[in-house]
Amino acid sequence: MKRRDILKTMAIAGLAAGVDGMAAKAATTAQTFVLVHGAWHGGWCWSRVADRLRSAGHLVFTPTQTGLGERKHLLSKAITLDTFTSDIVNVIEAEELSDVILVGHSFGGNAISGTADTIPGKIRHLVYLDSLMVEGGKAPFDNLPPDVVAARRKAAEETSGGLSLPAPPPSAFGVSETKDTEWVNRRLTPHPFGTYTSPLNIKGPVGNNLPRTYIACTNPSYAALQASRNWVKAQQGWRWAEIATGHDAMVMAPDELTRMLINVANA
């Protein structure tokens, strides 16, 4: 074999070894994240955090729940919390995921509670990001202030005959920067009303005794979730963390939120 061929062979072998080494390193540090959005949003809202997690070597899925985002054409009165749970369970099963860090923002907390009850063996840690907390057998409207419930029922009836809730302005989620406001406003879609009136069908406790963390967004605080935060603080076995940003933390503080999620994964 000629010298240049020998050198070429050695270079290829060295490159392969380097790639194998990086792959081995990634395999020991990479985590699997499934990020679930809240009301009126879609998987799109996680793009900034997902990009950062992937750049750090993690596997990330950002499913959109039925009737929202790019799946808005599926909007129907038949959509319930069971539908939302099935959306997430089906992603985890179809992608054959395990050891999942399952994150639910706001209304998405209901779907991760349902998923934890259905396939607990697939989940490593639950993260409730400024989530609406609902106990088994209750509906989301059961844990929101009466004035909020009345206003949302009225809005749903007047705008869609009870089919959906119209999206509020981005400022309702603490979004204030002009570019962020425009980006979020373009993408918000009406939310399936039936998910607010249907019960969360779980057999065990919320979180199903899995490792779980609640991250509260504190600046500004989303007032409608105060009862949920108080409920979490009164429970045993929950980790508590805070992030000094508005409700849509994944939009406004992606660097800090990414760091917090990675810390949870490595805990």
Side-chain angles (χ1 to χ4, degrees):
M1 183 181 290
K2 294 181 180 179
R3 183 173 183 274
R4 67 179 182 182
D5 292 332
I6 293 172
L7 292 174
K8 183 177 179 181
T9 301
M10 291 174 63
I12 292 173
L15 177 60
V19 170
D20 289 344
M22 287 187 290
K25 182 179 179 181
T28 61
T29 60
Q31 303 291 343
T32 299
F33 290 87
V34 176
L35 311 177
V36 184
H37 63 83
W40 303 289
H41 290 59
W44 57 264
C45 72
W46 287 105
S47 62
R48 297 173 181 178
V49 170
D51 286 348
R52 287 160 170 78
L53 287 171
R54 288 172 183 140
S55 293
H58 302 290
L59 184 64
V60 185
F61 294 83
T62 59
T64 292
Q65 306 223 266
T66 304
L68 291 154
E70 75 277 12
R71 305 180 72 204
K72 63 184 179 182
H73 60 289
L74 299 176
L75 182 62
S76 162
K77 286 190 175 182
I79 299 171
T80 66
L81 284 186
D82 287 343
T83 311
F84 277 15
T85 293
S86 294
D87 286 336
I88 308 308
V89 170
N90 289 345
V91 167
I92 292 172
E93 292 186 335
E95 298 291 346
E96 299 183 344
L97 306 180
S98 60
D99 217 25
V100 173
I101 311 298
L102 184 57
V103 184
H105 174 241
S106 195
F107 199 86
N110 298 303
I112 73 169
S113 291
T115 301
D117 192 73
T118 305
I119 50 171
K122 300 287 188 179
I123 300 167
R124 176 179 176 179
H125 201 111
L126 296 166
V127 180
Y128 291 82
L129 175 60
D130 221 27
S131 295
L132 172 66
M133 305 305 298
V134 177
E135 295 180 87
K138 294 186 177 181
F141 271 166
D142 293 333
N143 205 29
L144 286 172
D147 60 324
V148 172
V149 173
R152 292 187 180 182
R153 287 187 182 278
K154 184 174 184 290
E157 187 60 37
E158 290 179 347
T159 60
S160 64
L163 171 64
S164 61
L165 280 170
S171 58
F173 311 116
V175 180
S176 58
E177 292 290 333
T178 300
K179 287 185 178 180
D180 289 343
T181 296
E182 293 173 349
W183 184 67
V184 171
N185 196 51
R186 288 197 303 271
R187 288 163 171 78
L188 294 175
T189 54
H191 186 93
F193 188 71
T195 60
Y196 272 93
T197 59
S198 57
L200 178 63
N201 292 313
I202 58 175
K203 301 179 182 66
V206 175
N208 205 12
N209 295 316
L210 292 166
R212 53 206 181 275
T213 298
Y214 191 97
I215 300 176
C217 299
T218 62
N219 188 26
S221 178
Y222 193 40
L225 297 178
Q226 192 54 50
S228 292
R229 300 185 192 104
N230 292 341
W231 181 87
V232 171
K233 288 181 176 179
Q235 305 306 305
Q236 298 293 320
W238 287 74
R239 298 179 185 176
W240 179 269
E242 297 181 356
I243 182 169
T245 189
H247 186 56
D248 270 10
M250 73 289 295
V251 173
M252 295 174 288
D255 288 326
E256 177 64 11
L257 181 57
T258 299
R259 184 189 66 78
M260 294 179 78
L261 294 180
I262 291 174
N263 285 343
V264 165
N266 292 331

